[in-house]
Amino acid sequence: MSGKTVISMKIQVYNSTIQLVQGDITKQSVDAIVNAANSALAGGGGVDGAIHDAAGPLIMEETAQKYPEGCPTGEAVITAAGDLTAKFIIHTVGPVWGGGVRGEADLLKNAYSNSLKLAVEHHCESVAFPAISTGVYGYPIDLAAKQSLRSVADFLREHESSLRVSFVLFDNGSFGAYSNALEELSKMSTDW
């Protein structure tokens, strides 16, 4: 995919916005980019590798220094953003899909809500998420889209935050799944 960014639909949740973007997460103009990290915070492939490549080697040094024990699944930690235009990278660890019987839904919800807590604590006005756990961790994209969008909407409603939350999706399949889920969520959510 080129560096082109396509914005799809968006919804308001009180003073906040949830929007879908098709593009490269490392090119987003936001205060914080969320990294779908592994529990060792050791860099990797996919989104994690792309963010580390774009941010530069100082990120690995900072995570090793500040978080030598890594980050448990569902939790989140924050670092500077290195060479990215963002101020921060929030590293969160999503669950590996095991058929939905090992608490994956709660762990995925926690990954999103703990990332948003850090964004709010660091006075971020905008944050960009990838589709956490849907790559090599095998979380079914349609299910992840529904659960992650709902988790973010619930957080924004409960905390009455004022954030612009972007879900940055790299490929057409993910973008379509999240578009369908956001449309469904917007129809169900008349109390916002």
Side-chain angles (χ1 to χ4, degrees):
M1 155 152 267
S2 70
K4 185 176 127 183
T5 295
V6 177
I7 297 177
S8 177
M9 66 182 292
K10 58 184 173 181
I11 64 170
Q12 286 293 126
V13 181
Y14 294 131
N15 295 325
S16 295
T17 303
I18 300 173
Q19 67 182 18
L20 304 182
V21 175
Q22 187 168 4
D24 181 342
I25 196 166
T26 67
K27 307 270 192 240
Q28 302 305 304
S29 295
V30 292
D31 293 331
I33 289 176
V34 177
N35 180 23
N38 56 56
S39 60
L41 300 176
V47 170
D48 191 13
I51 290 172
H52 276 277
D53 287 348
L58 292 178
I59 303 309
M60 287 295 292
E61 291 175 24
E62 187 176 351
T63 56
Q65 180 184 23
K66 285 185 172 177
Y67 312 107
E69 302 298 316
C71 181
T73 302
E75 297 299 318
V77 297
I78 194 165
T79 63
D83 296 333
L84 296 172
T85 58
K87 297 176 187 172
F88 303 104
I89 299 173
I90 298 171
H91 307 265
T92 191
V93 182
V96 174
W97 181 252
V101 295
R102 297 188 303 197
E104 294 96 331
D106 286 337
L107 291 168
L108 187 64
K109 177 180 181 175
N110 290 343
Y112 282 96
S113 61
N114 286 325
S115 296
L116 288 169
K117 284 178 192 170
L118 284 174
V120 170
E121 287 170 10
H122 288 81
H123 310 289
C124 295
E125 296 178 2
S126 55
V127 60
F129 282 100
I132 296 169
S133 287
T134 62
V136 295
Y137 283 15
Y139 213 108
I141 189 71
D142 292 332
L143 192 54
K146 289 177 186 176
Q147 291 175 343
S148 60
L149 287 165
R150 181 87 232 172
S151 296
V152 168
D154 287 347
F155 178 92
L156 296 173
R157 193 175 69 236
E158 290 166 14
H159 294 85
E160 296 186 25
S161 302
S162 181
L163 286 171
R164 177 174 46 92
V165 179
S166 301
F167 282 81
V168 183
L169 307 152
F170 191 72
D171 61 59
N172 291 334
S174 299
F175 191 73
Y178 275 76
S179 294
N180 291 338
L182 188 60
E183 186 174 336
E184 185 179 310
L185 181 64
S186 69
K187 288 177 183 173
M188 292 176 9
S189 305
T190 57
D191 58 336
W192 299 339

